[in-house]
Amino acid sequence: MNIKIELEIVTGFIGSGKTLFINELLNKTLVTGERVLIIQCEDGEKRIKVPDRKKSKVIIKEYNPSKALTEACLKQMINFYNPHRVIIELNGMRRLEETLMLLEGELNESFLEPIIYYIADAASFEIFYSNMTELIAPFIIHSSLIIINNCGIIDFKKKKNIIAQIEALNNNAFIIQIDDISKLGEALLDKDLLSRGLVKKILIKLKNSILRWNTV
């Protein structure tokens, strides 16, 4: 029995709040016994904070943000660390298609369908989107959850225009608007979008048991 690896891709430009989002993601979703591999294809100032969870392990690997993540490199990390979940922090100047294409080969058998999160800065979204539509649009189209950060420094009309542009591309994603990044944890808790329950814990125990059986 092969239990596939969860894959989460966090996208957005540098400074938008990707690393802080990953910290909240870990804090709210890391369960006992889980091994998480985080691949940081970004060069931001913030650092990953690993929650204290019994028997859990978070591995953080930095990858040159100027280079596309390769299938060979990802496969090597998967084989070495054997994670239950992989989180990729993707540089906003890299095309999302580069990463999604990695799952079209052998790795397709290893991963579940990816969950994609897009973190946008409300103050700079419109100028970035108007100048780099082809780059940004796939982030929005493929995302399940979109966080619009720094809404507190723009007016209602501008905020409404940003929402309209996003919904024109993807009206199925959950969209969370926050005044600033310090409100992120509270907003995610309020919406209960990142909760994980008993099923996840059972799958992790099952995968760990299979690994033990295979080594006997």
Side-chain angles (χ1 to χ4, degrees):
M1 181 179 180
N2 179 35
I3 297 178
K4 292 190 174 185
I5 301 165
E6 293 181 62
L7 176 61
E8 294 168 300
I9 302 172
V10 183
T11 68
F13 288 105
I14 191 166
S16 61
K18 295 192 300 297
T19 304
L20 291 170
F21 173 79
I22 292 173
N23 287 338
E24 289 294 340
L25 184 64
L26 286 174
N27 189 44
K28 289 177 171 53
T29 65
L30 186 66
V31 300
T32 300
E34 185 178 17
R35 284 186 307 282
V36 180
L37 171 62
I38 299 175
I39 305 172
Q40 287 192 288
C41 306
E42 186 58 284
D43 209 10
E45 295 180 359
K46 301 296 181 181
R47 292 292 173 258
I48 300 295
K49 295 180 181 178
V50 180
D52 184 16
R53 298 287 191 278
K54 186 179 179 182
K55 297 182 180 179
S56 298
K57 186 174 183 180
V58 176
I59 304 109
I60 303 168
K61 301 297 292 181
E62 295 182 354
Y63 192 87
N64 189 338
S66 67
K67 296 181 179 180
L69 182 63
T70 66
E71 181 179 0
C73 184
L74 182 54
K75 191 185 299 182
Q76 184 181 43
M77 286 190 276
I78 294 304
N79 291 336
F80 186 80
Y81 295 110
N82 194 27
H84 300 103
R85 175 166 45 143
V86 173
I87 300 173
I88 299 176
E89 182 178 1
L90 192 62
N91 183 293
M93 295 304 294
R94 304 297 318 181
R95 292 187 176 276
L96 179 61
E97 294 91 329
E98 292 176 344
T99 303
L100 295 181
M101 283 177 62
L102 299 177
L103 306 177
E104 294 180 0
E106 278 184 52
L107 289 172
N108 183 54
E109 298 300 316
S110 300
F111 286 101
L112 291 169
E113 189 75 18
I115 298 173
I116 299 171
Y117 309 102
Y118 177 58
I119 320 298
D121 186 337
S124 58
F125 176 82
E126 288 185 305
I127 189 166
F128 279 148
Y129 184 71
S130 62
N131 287 289
M132 292 184 281
T133 306
E134 290 186 5
L135 179 67
I136 297 173
F139 296 152
I140 297 170
I141 291 168
H142 292 283
S143 288
S144 300
L145 173 62
I146 297 170
I147 309 287
I148 306 174
N149 184 22
N150 289 331
C151 287
I153 62 175
I154 62 171
D155 59 35
F156 176 78
K157 183 178 179 181
K158 190 171 183 179
K159 191 190 305 182
K160 188 176 179 181
N161 287 340
I162 291 172
I163 296 295
Q165 286 176 301
I166 290 173
E167 289 184 338
L169 295 173
N170 183 350
N171 60 8
N172 293 315
F174 290 99
I175 300 174
I176 295 180
Q177 306 167 53
I178 53 175
D179 288 346
D180 61 72
I181 202 67
S182 68
K183 304 291 194 302
L184 178 59
E186 182 183 332
L188 291 173
L189 187 64
D190 180 57
K191 299 293 183 182
D192 196 28
L193 296 176
L194 301 179
S195 62
R196 299 158 86 80
L198 184 61
V199 172
K200 174 65 185 289
K201 295 179 182 179
I202 291 172
L203 288 174
I204 286 173
K205 284 189 175 182
L206 180 58
K207 183 169 184 178
N208 288 340
S209 297
I210 290 170
L211 289 172
R212 285 196 294 272
W213 295 336
N214 289 339
T215 56
V216 172

